[in-house]
Amino acid sequence: MTRRARILVPGDPSAVAFARNRVITQVRAWDVPLDEEKRYAVRLVVSELVTNAIVHAEGLISVDLYLNEERLLLVVHDGNPTRPRRRRPTTNDETGRGLALVAHLATRTGWDPTPNGKKVWAEFDVPTLPAVRGEILRRRMKAAMPRTHITAHVLFALAAGL
């Protein structure tokens, strides 16, 4: 089963943080246990792809998320049909590294033309969902178990049969 979510983002630079936070919130809602490094990678990729869409396209942007048992797919749709291209920035350039970062952080990346522009995507491998569900269940059971403090006196009494 594939889970899906769509986040609509206005074409304004202030919306990058909104998109980034909404994506992470959705991934958490799906109980995907991303470690700190993977969560940082997803956040940075969202930031880069949404920023590129805002800079190079006009109008509303959509961020689609798809989650299945093996992967998290992030797809950013914008209204500009131009192929995204990786630049080769010099050390003095302040921009131009975004797609290289995306390619480095994601498992797979790509783009596809659409009737109204393009979609740029990044895919991340995630822990398999059956294993994730088992881990979540173990955490919830552990959290629900009453906390007891056994002192040396109680252990002695139990051992003595009192």
Side-chain angles (χ1 to χ4, degrees), residues 75-153:
V75 183
V76 176
H77 299 264
D78 69 46
N80 183 344
T82 305
R83 174 190 186 115
R85 63 183 175 95
R86 283 175 61 176
R87 295 177 38 203
R88 297 191 189 279
T90 66
T91 52
N92 295 330
D93 289 338
E94 293 182 14
T95 62
R97 293 172 181 80
L99 290 177
L101 279 171
V102 170
H104 176 73
L105 295 171
T107 306
R108 284 170 288 288
T109 64
W111 80 283
D112 298 298
T114 65
N116 299 318
K118 70 176 168 296
K119 59 183 176 181
V120 182
W121 54 268
E123 186 177 288
F124 299 88
D125 291 335
V126 295
T128 59
L129 289 182
V132 169
R133 287 188 192 107
E135 177 61 26
I136 291 166
L137 182 59
R138 280 189 291 283
R139 280 192 225 152
R140 288 182 180 163
M141 288 177 64
K142 184 177 179 182
M145 290 171 36
R147 305 247 189 253
T148 57
H149 298 286
I150 300 178
T151 64
H153 295 290

